[in-house]
């Protein structure tokens, strides 16, 4: 692992990062994604990323959220509802629970998907894969009482 990546992982596992990052990383990602017509996500320099468009659970309106993802073997994507290790579940996870049909912008392409919350052994296997991709997820889980939600998204 390159030294810069180790430093980035250490910093991203801190409580300070969890307080600050949610206020600027998603906004910056949305702006760059829009300006590049869906071709670039800055956060994807660290982790693979998508823009999830899901229907709001309460509003019924489309909600666009830049997210890190783990492309799954055999197709599909794994989304991790870490919320940077903050106490509550991120809103997008509630949106997918209520409205599992969504859309991903992946490498400049819009793809209709269906989300499924993972449980049991399937979740445990996905969690191990997430930790291999980004070890700071373990620090996020250790800080919160809730179980971090994991979703598998597959093409519709």
């Amino acid at each position: 692992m390159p030294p810069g990546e180790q430093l980035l992982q250490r910093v991203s596992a801190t409580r300070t990062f969890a307080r600050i990052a949610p206020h600027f990383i998603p906004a910056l990602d949305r702006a760059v994604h829009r300006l590049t017509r869906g071709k670039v996500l800055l956060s994807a320099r660290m982790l693979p990323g998508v823009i999830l468009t899901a229907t709001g659970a309460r509003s019924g309106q489309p909600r666009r959220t830049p997210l890190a993802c783990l492309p799954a073997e055999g197709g599909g994507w794994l989304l991790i509802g870490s919320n940077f290790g903050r106490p509550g579940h991120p809103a997008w996870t509630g949106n997918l629970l209520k409205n599992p049909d969504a859309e991903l912008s992946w490498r400049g392409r819009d793809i209709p998907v269906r989300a499924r919350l993972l449980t049991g052994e399937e979740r445990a296997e996905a969690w191990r894969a997430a930790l291999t991709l980004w070890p700071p997820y373990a620090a996020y889980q250790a800080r919160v009482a809730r179980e971090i939600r994991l979703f598998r998204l597959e093409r519709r």
Side-chain angles (χ1 to χ4, degrees), residues 52 67-70 72 76-84 88-90 92-94 96-97 100 114-134 136-138 140-141 144 146-154:
L52 170 69
L67 299 168
C69 73
L70 176 59
W77 297 264
L78 175 66
L79 298 182
I80 301 101
S82 70
N83 204 14
F84 296 95
H89 291 291
W92 64 265
T93 67
L96 288 180
L97 288 172
R114 172 157 287 192
R116 183 171 49 83
L117 180 66
L118 300 181
T119 60
E121 184 52 39
E122 187 178 22
R123 184 200 180 281
E125 183 180 326
W127 182 247
R128 287 188 293 273
L131 291 177
T132 298
L133 173 71
W134 193 245
Y137 285 137
Y140 298 170
Q141 182 63 79
V144 297
R146 67 181 174 87
E147 181 177 73
I148 290 175
R149 292 175 176 160
L150 302 180
F151 289 85
R152 178 149 337 266
L153 279 69
E154 296 180 352

Side-chain angles (χ1 to χ4, degrees), residues 15-155:
R15 289 179 190 275
T16 300
F17 184 83
R19 276 195 309 275
I20 297 169
H23 301 290
F24 72 88
I25 291 177
L28 187 59
D29 262 345
R30 277 191 288 272
V32 170
H33 189 261
R34 194 172 37 254
L35 290 171
T36 62
R37 296 190 181 112
K39 303 249 188 295
V40 176
L41 276 176
L42 289 180
S43 63
R45 302 277 183 208
M46 298 180 294
L47 293 167
V50 296
I51 298 283
L52 170 69
T53 303
T55 302
R58 288 185 232 152
S59 70
Q61 299 299 308
R63 302 293 182 207
R64 293 175 54 81
T65 309
L67 299 168
C69 73
L70 176 59
E73 289 183 31
W77 297 264
L78 175 66
L79 298 182
I80 301 101
S82 70
N83 204 14
F84 296 95
R86 296 184 304 162
H89 291 291
W92 64 265
T93 67
N95 295 342
L96 288 180
L97 288 172
K98 183 164 184 187
N99 303 298
D101 288 341
E103 187 174 272
L104 288 183
S105 177
W106 170 252
R107 297 181 176 166
R109 294 181 40 227
D110 293 330
I111 303 166
V113 293
R114 172 157 287 192
R116 183 171 49 83
L117 180 66
L118 300 181
T119 60
E121 184 52 39
E122 187 178 22
R123 184 200 180 281
E125 183 180 326
W127 182 247
R128 287 188 293 273
L131 291 177
T132 298
L133 173 71
W134 193 245
Y137 285 137
Y140 298 170
Q141 182 63 79
R143 276 201 301 265
V144 297
R146 67 181 174 87
E147 181 177 73
I148 290 175
R149 292 175 176 160
L150 302 180
F151 289 85
R152 178 149 337 266
L153 279 69
E154 296 180 352
R155 294 174 189 262

